[in-house]
C-alpha cells in the first residue's frame, strides 16, 4: 500500500509535507476550514497523491527494468529523463446507503477518484521518447489505483470542489517538480504528466465549469450549439480547453462589454462556473456506447410505431411500442429490459441480431433497410473508438471512419429527419464529429475510457 517506499521531490512539492510514510489519510487534510453538514472525519479518505503514484510505480518496477533491458538501456546511464503518463478517472456512484448498519450519518452518494499509469517512457540523448512500458489492460480494475473515496453527491459542486482541492493542489505541485525514486536499485528521475480522461460528460461539465448536459451548447470539445450540430453533423474541430474555460469564466463574471445575459452567454459559449480541474478533451468510450444505445433504443420504438408519418403520438401508444420491443428482445435474445441503460445491455442491443428482431416489428421494407444500414455503419465505427490501439486493431475501419460517419449523418438527416431536425444527442455529435481528430492526437480513445474506474465501483460497493 502507499506509504511504504522512500522517495523525494526536486524541488520539494509546494505545501506538501516531505514525509514518505503516509498511508490512508483523512481526505480533507490539506484543506483548511471545516465542513459542518456531515461529521468531517467520516466524509472522505484518500492517499496522498504523490505517495500513491510512487506505490504504483514500484509495482511496475520489474516491467520498467524489462523495458530498459529490451531497449539495451541497462542501468547506470539511464537515471534521468523518465516520463510517466497518468490517466485520471472520477465517477459519482448513486445510492450507497447501508443496508442495515448504524454508522455515522453520511450522504448516500459517493464519488471515487482513481488513476492508472498508462505508460512510462525515457528520453535518450538526442532521440525522441522511447516507450519502455505500456499498460496492457488500461481498462481493468486491476490497473486502476484508487486515490480518494468520498461520501458526497457529485452534483453538490461546493462540497466536491472542497474535497477535491487538496488533490488538485498536490497534482499541480507535482507538474512542476521531478520525482526521485529507486527503480532497479538506482535512484531515477521521473516527470509526471496527467490526463483527466476517465470522466463521463456530467463530470467533465462539472469540473470544467460548463452548463449541464441538456444545454444548447452540446459539446465539451467544441463551441457548437445543438441546432448547428444537427445541421452540420460531421465537420467540427476541437477548440475548448481548460485555459479557455478559465478565461471565459472571467468574461462571464466581469461582463467587460456590458452585454445582456443572452449575448454574454453566447460569447462564453455556456461557461458559467469556474473550471476547477483540468480534463483532457476527449470522448469517454463507455458512456459513448451507452449514450448511443439509449438513442437507438428510442429509434427502435419510433420505427415500430412509424413515428415518421405521425404527429405527436400519445403516451399510451408509445408505451405499447416499448412493450412490444422489450417483449421481442426478451423472447428471442433473452435480453431483459433494464431501468437504466448499462454497458452490458448496450453491447447486446447494438448488434445485427437485435436489429433483425426489431425489423420483424417494423411494417415497411424501406424503413427496415434504413435501420439495418444504420446499425451496420455503427458497428463499423464503434471499434475505432473502442479499441485500445486502433491503428493496430482495426486499421481499415479507422481509414473508413470519416466516410462512414458522413454516411451515418446523411441517414440521420434523411430517413430519420423526424428525430434529428434541429436536435441531436451529445454523444452522437461527438462520435460523428470528433473521433478522427482525437485519435490522431492521442492514438486511442478506448484506452483512455472510464471503464476501469466504473468496474472498480462495484468492488467499492462491497466494502
Amino acid at each position: 500500500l502507499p506509504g511504504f517506499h522512500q522517495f523525494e521531490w526536486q524541488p520539494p512539492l509546494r505545501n506538501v509535507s516531505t514525509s514518505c510514510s503516509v498511508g490512508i489519510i483523512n481526505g480533507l487534510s490539506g484543506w483548511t476550514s471545516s465542513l459542518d453538514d456531515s461529521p468531517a472525519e467520516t466524509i472522505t479518505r484518500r492517499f496522498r497523491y504523490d505517495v500513491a503514484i510512487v506505490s504504483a510505480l514500484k509495482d511496475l518496477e520489474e516491467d520498467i527494468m524489462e523495458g530498459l533491458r529490451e531497449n539495451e538501456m541497462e542501468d547506470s546511464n539511464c537515471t534521468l529523463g523518465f516520463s510517466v503518463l497518468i490517466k485520471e478517472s472520477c465517477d459519482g456512484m448513486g445510492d450507497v446507503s447501508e443496508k442495515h448498519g448504524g454508522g455515522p450519518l453520511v450522504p448516500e452518494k459517493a464519488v471515487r477518484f482513481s488513476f492508472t499509469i498508462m505508460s512510462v517512457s525515457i528520453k535518450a540523448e538526442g532521440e525522441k521518447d522511447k516507450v519502455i512500458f505500456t499498460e496492457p489492460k488500461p481498462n481493468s480494475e486491476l490497473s486502476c489505483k484508487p486515490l480518494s473515496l468520498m461520501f458526497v453527491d457529485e452534483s453538490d459542486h461546493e462540497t466536491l470542489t472542497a474535497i477535491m482541492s487538496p488533490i488538485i493542489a498536490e497534482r499541480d505541485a507535482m507538474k512542476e517538480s521531478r520525482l526521485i525514486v529507486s527503480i532497479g536499485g538506482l535512484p531515477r528521475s521521473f516527470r509526471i504528466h496527467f490526463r483527466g480522461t476517465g470522466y463521463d460528460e456530467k463530470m467533465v461539465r462539472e469540473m470544467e465549469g460548463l452548463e449541464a448536459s441538456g444545454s444548447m451548447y452540446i459539446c465539451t470539445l467544441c463551441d457548437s450549439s445543438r441546432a448547428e450540430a444537427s445541421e452540420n453533423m460531421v465537420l467540427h474541430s476541437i477548440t475548448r480547453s481548460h485555459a479557455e474555460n478559465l478565461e471565459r469564466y472571467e468574461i462571464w463574471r466581469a461582463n467587460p462589454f456590458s452585454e445582456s445575459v443572452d449575448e454574454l452567454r453566447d460569447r462564453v459559449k455556456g461557461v458559467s462556473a469556474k473550471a476547477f480541474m483540468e480534463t483532457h478533451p476527449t470522448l469517454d468510450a463507455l458512456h459513448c456506447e451507452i449514450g448511443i444505445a439509449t438513442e437507438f433504443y428510442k429509434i427502435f420504438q419510433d420505427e415500430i410505431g412509424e413515428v415518421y408519418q405521425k404527429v405527436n403520438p400519445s403516451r399510451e401508444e408509445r408505451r405499447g411500442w416499448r412493450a412490444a420491443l422489450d417483449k421481442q428482445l426478451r423472447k428471442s435474445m433473452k435480453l431483459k429490459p433494464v431501468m437504466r441503460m448499462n454497458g452490458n445491455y448496450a453491447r447486446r442491443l447494438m448488434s445485427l441480431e437485435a436489429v433483425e428482431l426489431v425489423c420483424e416489428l417494423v411494417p415497411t421494407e424501406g424503413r427496415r433497410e434504413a435501420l439495418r444500414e444504420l446499425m451496420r455503419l455503427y458497428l463499423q465505427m464503434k471499434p475505432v473508438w473502442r479499441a485500445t490501439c486502433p491503428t493496430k486493431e482495426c486499421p481499415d475501419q479507422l481509414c473508413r471512419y470519416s466516410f462512414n460517419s458522413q454516411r451515418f449523418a446523411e441517414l440521420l438527416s434523411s430517413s430519420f429527419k423526424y428525430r434529428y431536425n434541429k436536435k441531436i444527442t451529445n454523444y452522437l455529435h461527438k462520435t460523428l464529429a470528433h473521433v478522427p481528430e482525437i485519435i490522431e492526437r492521442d492514438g486511442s480513445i478506448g484506452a483512455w475510457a472510464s471503464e476501469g474506474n466504473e468496474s472498480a465501483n462495484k468492488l467499492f460497493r462491497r466494502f
Side-chain angles (χ1 to χ4, degrees):
L1 278 179
F4 182 74
H5 302 286
Q6 294 302 302
F7 59 90
E8 67 167 311
W9 286 92
Q10 284 176 352
L13 298 186
R14 289 195 311 280
N15 305 332
V16 179
S17 104
T18 53
S19 150
C20 303
S21 48
V22 184
I24 296 173
I25 55 179
N26 181 346
L28 295 175
S29 69
W31 199 71
T32 40
S33 73
S34 65
L35 297 172
D36 38 7
D37 298 344
S38 326
E41 66 276 9
T42 56
I43 195 168
T44 164
R45 287 281 175 272
R46 68 183 180 94
F47 293 115
R48 212 173 76 200
Y49 207 161
D50 61 326
V51 179
I53 288 174
V54 168
S55 179
L57 268 178
K58 291 292 278 185
D59 282 350
L60 299 175
E61 187 165 16
E62 289 168 26
D63 298 292
I64 292 171
M65 290 313 292
E66 193 165 320
L68 284 176
R69 277 194 293 276
E70 278 167 17
N71 285 295
E72 278 121 39
M73 294 178 146
E74 282 279 357
D75 300 346
S76 51
N77 51 359
C78 297
T79 54
L80 298 169
F82 287 88
S83 295
V84 180
L85 191 53
I86 286 182
K87 162 168 87 174
E88 297 178 308
S89 311
C90 184
D91 177 38
M93 301 169 60
D95 180 33
V96 290
S97 52
E98 290 188 78
K99 290 291 168 280
H100 34 230
L105 203 84
V106 290
E108 307 206 328
K109 299 244 191 330
V111 172
R112 294 183 61 256
F113 185 94
S114 60
F115 68 94
T116 303
I117 294 188
M118 297 292 282
S119 67
V120 179
S121 54
I122 182 167
K123 198 170 179 58
E125 285 91 70
E127 294 178 47
K128 63 184 202 344
D129 284 12
K130 269 210 172 107
V131 178
I132 55 175
F133 166 77
T134 306
E135 173 53 56
K137 295 203 176 114
N139 287 317
S140 154
E141 62 267 45
L142 300 175
S143 61
C144 184
K145 313 287 183 186
L147 183 69
S148 174
L149 308 169
M150 352 178 193
F151 283 111
V152 48
D153 184 341
E154 64 176 322
S155 311
D156 174 358
H157 189 75
E158 289 69 26
T159 316
L160 187 67
T161 48
I163 294 182
M164 292 294 291
S165 63
I167 291 179
I168 295 165
E170 287 166 19
R171 176 184 192 265
D172 287 342
M174 285 189 281
K175 285 186 199 165
E176 307 300 316
S177 185
R178 290 196 323 281
L179 169 68
I180 314 289
V181 65
S182 149
I183 296 282
L186 288 170
R188 301 179 198 257
S189 145
F190 293 87
R191 279 211 177 277
I192 316 283
H193 304 276
F194 298 96
R195 273 195 197 164
T197 61
Y199 307 117
D200 58 15
E201 178 155 335
K202 183 178 176 190
M203 187 65 84
V204 169
R205 287 174 175 272
E206 169 107 351
M207 290 182 162
E208 289 282 14
L210 301 168
E211 293 170 3
S213 308
S215 158
M216 65 175 277
Y217 297 103
I218 176 176
C219 190
T220 55
L221 299 117
C222 70
D223 291 344
S224 173
S225 71
R226 200 169 292 277
E228 286 162 18
S230 72
E231 291 300 308
N232 156 21
M233 291 191 186
V234 181
L235 303 167
H236 296 273
S237 55
I238 299 175
T239 56
R240 289 190 191 266
S241 68
H242 184 65
E244 181 191 61
N245 292 337
L246 288 171
E247 282 164 27
R248 282 178 163 173
Y249 171 68
E250 285 307 317
I251 293 174
W252 171 256
R253 204 175 54 87
N255 192 0
F257 308 104
S258 313
E259 291 164 305
S260 72
V261 170
D262 291 340
E263 293 169 316
L264 184 59
R265 184 170 165 236
D266 182 59
R267 179 181 291 277
V268 298
K269 303 292 180 201
V271 175
S272 58
K274 185 168 181 172
F276 74 93
M277 180 148 188
E278 181 180 4
T279 65
H280 187 71
T282 181
L283 167 155
D284 184 63
L286 175 71
H287 290 96
C288 183
E289 198 165 346
I290 291 170
I292 293 179
T294 308
E295 193 53 23
F296 267 70
Y297 185 64
K298 290 176 183 161
I299 292 176
F300 290 162
Q301 292 168 51
D302 285 357
E303 287 301 317
I304 289 169
E306 301 190 88
V307 175
Y308 66 97
Q309 54 187 11
K310 286 197 174 76
V311 229
N312 296 340
S314 69
R315 294 230 354 229
E316 266 50 55
E317 284 180 279
R318 285 190 177 280
R319 212 166 283 149
W321 307 331
R322 179 169 180 176
L325 174 60
D326 283 345
K327 185 178 166 191
Q328 177 82 323
L329 292 171
R330 182 175 224 156
K331 187 181 75 192
S332 306
M333 283 181 76
K334 305 215 172 356
L335 190 55
K336 291 199 215 21
V338 283
M339 283 286 289
R340 239 179 101 218
M341 178 69 70
N342 60 47
N344 291 332
Y345 187 94
R347 274 183 277 276
R348 297 203 50 205
L349 180 71
M350 301 305 278
S351 61
L352 293 173
E353 182 188 4
V355 115
E356 282 311 323
L357 294 175
V358 175
C359 285
E360 290 174 20
L361 303 174
V362 173
T364 52
E365 184 50 44
R367 304 301 301 174
R368 286 181 216 150
E369 205 30 64
L371 273 178
R372 287 189 193 112
E373 170 77 343
L374 205 57
M375 184 63 85
R376 273 198 296 267
L377 287 167
Y378 170 80
L379 292 172
Q380 283 297 302
M381 287 155 67
K382 181 180 123 177
V384 175
W385 46 262
R386 249 321 188 178
T388 301
C389 182
T391 43
K392 288 200 190 87
E393 292 168 54
C394 52
D396 302 349
Q397 282 136 320
L398 179 58
C399 290
R400 291 181 60 81
Y401 194 90
S402 297
F403 177 79
N404 285 337
S405 61
Q406 189 71 52
R407 180 78 196 96
F408 193 94
E410 282 161 17
L411 256 179
L412 291 186
S413 44
S414 55
S415 303
F416 299 91
K417 184 141 189 70
Y418 66 90
R419 256 194 99 80
Y420 299 101
N421 191 11
K422 300 264 178 293
K423 57 186 201 287
I424 187 172
T425 67
N426 302 15
Y427 276 113
L428 269 177
H429 157 75
K430 286 185 186 173
T431 313
L432 295 172
H434 295 305
V435 167
E437 185 180 355
I438 299 174
I439 288 191
E440 201 166 314
R441 183 193 65 195
D442 295 345
S444 169
I445 290 176
W448 294 91
S450 65
E451 201 143 27
N453 192 44
E454 295 273 357
S455 47
N457 281 349
K458 59 177 185 273
L459 300 180
F460 172 62
R461 263 216 160 80
R462 317 251 19 124
F463 302 141

